[in-house]
Amino acid sequence: IAELNYTPNQMARNLFFRKSGIVAVIVPDAGHPFFAQLVNAVEAALCEKGYQTMICNTYREKNYELRYLDMLKQQRVDGIIFGSHTTQDISRYRNIQRPIVALDRKLGDDIPCVMSDHKAGGRLAAEEMIRAGCKKVVQVGDIEAKDQVFTPSQVRYKVFADTLEAHGVTCLNWNDQWSTPDIADYQKTANAVLDRYPDADGFFATDIVIMALMQAALSRGKRVPEQVKLVAYDGTPLLGLTYPRVTAVVQPIAELAKKAVELVVDLIEEKPIQEKWVELPVTLYAGDTTVRK
């Protein structure tokens, strides 16, 4: 082999075994900080397992989901890791009977789902706001989701509100569905929230929204954390560029990716799956945007 400089034809091998050696990873937008880190971690984990990654963005084209599901049925990809909002009837996923693992989406009882402990995440964020002495807090997110698929991450909004209100803290909701990847849209949302709730002393949202809220608050002369407290959700490395350092509930993104890859590879290789509902712990990073009293 060395003398002839021979390289095995992987395509031919895959055809023989009726496999492509490719796993599709479906996300709304790979440019988003959370999904960018997730995709990188999934790709690294798949590479270790001997698989290649096909990255599929669904934000701009609603029919992308159907394309990739068709590819799975035609065995052009061996499996799918699904972490996007869906416009499709989830029966399409249940009926396909091919290797699929969901990330923070419940596509059906027979489809494994990997997620963070969002109940704990909502509680940790609320408790941090309470320690910081907040009286009126606004949470921003896809609180009133219209997606037909249950998303476990939405549980955090209710737990966050319930925990605050149990301690006499007012919690207000700003419903903001998945926006465009344009930074200007996040800045627009942040300014709209501050216009609506100028007397709010705390804000809870995903990393990129919190960064926009901090920028808008500082530009209006508000002091962070003296006048405005901020807690982010996700804890992506992007927060390391902020000052003050943002307090955040950190999702174990690398571990989520690794577990999803383990499950989809087991399904591809027809190994038994012991866990269909995998929940991984979150942690609280105490930064400078909450001052504990």
Side-chain angles (χ1 to χ4, degrees), residues 233-277:
Y233 198 90
D234 284 342
T236 57
L238 191 65
L239 292 181
L241 298 176
T242 65
Y243 183 81
R245 294 174 301 172
V246 177
T247 296
V249 175
V250 181
Q251 294 199 66
I253 300 176
E255 288 77 11
L256 291 169
K258 183 178 180 180
K259 189 63 181 178
V261 167
E262 288 176 358
L263 287 171
V264 79
V265 170
D266 282 348
L267 288 173
I268 292 168
E269 297 177 356
E270 299 182 350
K271 296 179 181 178
I273 300 296
Q274 303 298 327
E275 299 176 280
K276 289 289 182 71
W277 193 259

Side-chain angles (χ1 to χ4, degrees), residues 32 121-122 125-126 129 137-143 153 156-157 160 164 171-176 186 189-190 193 202-214 229-236 239 246-251 289:
H32 185 280
M129 290 291 193
V137 177
V138 179
Q139 60 173 336
V140 182
D142 193 7
I143 299 166
S153 64
R156 73 176 182 264
Y157 298 122
F160 180 78
L164 288 180
C171 182
L172 302 166
N173 296 330
W174 180 281
N175 193 59
D176 185 52
Y186 292 102
T189 295
V193 172
F203 296 95
F204 176 53
T206 56
D207 291 1
I208 196 165
V209 177
I210 282 295
M211 293 173 69
L213 283 164
M214 183 162 69
K229 281 76 174 176
L230 302 164
V231 176
Y233 198 90
D234 284 342
T236 57
L239 292 181
V246 177
T247 296
V249 175
V250 181
Q251 294 199 66
T289 56

Side-chain angles (χ1 to χ4, degrees), residues 25-278:
V25 182
I26 301 178
V27 295
D29 174 33
H32 185 280
F34 175 84
F35 292 108
Q37 187 179 354
L38 178 70
V39 165
N40 284 342
V42 166
E43 185 174 25
L46 282 172
C47 185
E48 289 182 2
K49 298 282 189 179
Y51 287 85
Q52 297 182 25
T53 307
M54 177 183 291
I55 301 169
C56 317
N57 289 276
T58 61
Y59 172 73
R60 298 190 186 279
E61 294 286 345
K62 292 183 178 180
N63 66 341
Y64 273 8
E65 282 182 71
L66 294 179
R67 291 189 194 180
Y68 297 121
L69 286 174
D70 285 341
M71 290 177 69
L72 184 59
K73 286 189 289 186
Q74 296 169 22
Q75 296 184 320
R76 292 166 60 194
V77 296
D78 295 334
I80 286 178
I81 296 175
F82 184 87
S84 180
H85 303 282
T86 181
T87 60
Q88 306 301 321
D89 185 332
I90 59 173
S91 65
R92 289 181 179 272
Y93 291 90
R94 289 197 293 261
N95 295 335
I96 198 171
Q97 297 181 335
R98 296 285 294 158
I100 300 176
V101 172
L103 274 167
D104 215 34
R105 303 286 186 274
K106 187 171 183 180
L107 298 176
D109 293 336
D110 294 331
I111 297 177
C113 179
V114 180
M115 77 212 84
S116 295
D117 185 350
H118 297 294
K119 289 182 180 179
R123 177 178 49 78
L124 286 171
E127 289 173 349
E128 184 66 12
M129 290 291 193
I130 293 165
R131 280 192 291 266
C134 292
K135 300 300 180 185
K136 186 175 182 179
V137 177
V138 179
Q139 60 173 336
V140 182
D142 193 7
I143 299 166
E144 300 173 4
K146 296 180 181 179
D147 196 331
Q148 62 169 313
V149 176
F150 172 64
T151 305
S153 64
Q154 289 174 308
V155 172
R156 73 176 182 264
Y157 298 122
K158 185 178 187 308
V159 173
F160 180 78
D162 289 348
T163 305
L164 288 180
E165 290 169 1
H167 288 79
V169 179
T170 299
C171 182
L172 302 166
N173 296 330
W174 180 281
N175 193 59
D176 185 52
Q177 294 183 343
W178 179 263
S179 186
T180 68
D182 194 339
I183 294 298
D185 286 343
Y186 292 102
Q187 293 171 321
K188 182 179 178 180
T189 295
N191 281 297
V193 172
L194 290 175
D195 287 343
R196 178 77 175 272
Y197 303 110
D199 57 340
D201 59 0
F203 296 95
F204 176 53
T206 56
D207 291 1
I208 196 165
V209 177
I210 282 295
M211 293 173 69
L213 283 164
M214 183 162 69
Q215 181 188 65
L218 292 172
S219 70
R220 296 178 183 216
K222 292 183 179 289
R223 299 191 305 278
V224 178
E226 292 82 3
Q227 293 175 295
V228 175
K229 281 76 174 176
L230 302 164
V231 176
Y233 198 90
D234 284 342
T236 57
L238 191 65
L239 292 181
L241 298 176
T242 65
Y243 183 81
R245 294 174 301 172
V246 177
T247 296
V249 175
V250 181
Q251 294 199 66
I253 300 176
E255 288 77 11
L256 291 169
K258 183 178 180 180
K259 189 63 181 178
V261 167
E262 288 176 358
L263 287 171
V264 79
V265 170
D266 282 348
L267 288 173
I268 292 168
E269 297 177 356
E270 299 182 350
K271 296 179 181 178
I273 300 296
Q274 303 298 327
E275 299 176 280
K276 289 289 182 71
W277 193 259
V278 182

